Amino acid sequence: IQAAFTRTFAQNNPIYQFELNGHPLVLVYDEAHDIVNLFDGVLNGTKAEFDSIDFRGKTENGTLNQLPLHNGVFWMVWSHWYPETQVFN
């Protein structure tokens, strides 16, 4: 399963915790740098608990592992190859 996030969604949800295929993930939008990063939501073998996170994945309890993310892909191209993509808008 693939997931796609609109720019507006990321801006309105700068720290978004969710699950994909039952695995916890964290999407982080940093307005100052205008970037979106995706992190593994597991830290030290358990679901990450934190009060704050920066665009590098650093939390008060440790740093989350960054995952691959494809920014700026045209939807018409992406949806052709991944028609089952879950869209967050």
Side-chain angles (χ1 to χ4, degrees):
I1 294 179
Q2 304 290 326
F5 298 86
T6 64
R7 179 183 195 87
T8 302
F9 182 89
Q11 290 170 331
N12 291 334
N13 301 276
I15 300 172
Y16 185 69
Q17 296 184 43
F18 67 105
E19 289 189 6
L20 193 62
N21 289 338
H23 189 84
L25 300 168
V26 182
L27 185 82
V28 176
Y29 171 74
D30 184 87
E31 184 176 8
H33 296 92
D34 193 31
I35 61 170
V36 175
N37 282 326
L38 181 67
F39 299 96
D40 188 336
V42 174
L43 186 61
N44 301 321
T46 61
K47 185 175 178 181
E49 301 276 336
F50 55 87
D51 293 321
S52 65
I53 185 171
D54 70 10
F55 72 97
R56 293 183 182 101
K58 186 176 180 182
T59 75
E60 66 274 12
N61 297 318
T63 302
L64 301 180
N65 291 324
Q66 188 172 353
L67 300 174
L69 185 67
H70 304 288
N71 285 310
V73 177
F74 287 108
W75 176 245
M76 64 185 146
V77 174
W78 184 268
S79 64
H80 173 77
W81 295 106
Y82 302 102
E84 301 300 318
T85 298
Q86 182 177 350
V87 179
F88 294 81
N89 61 13

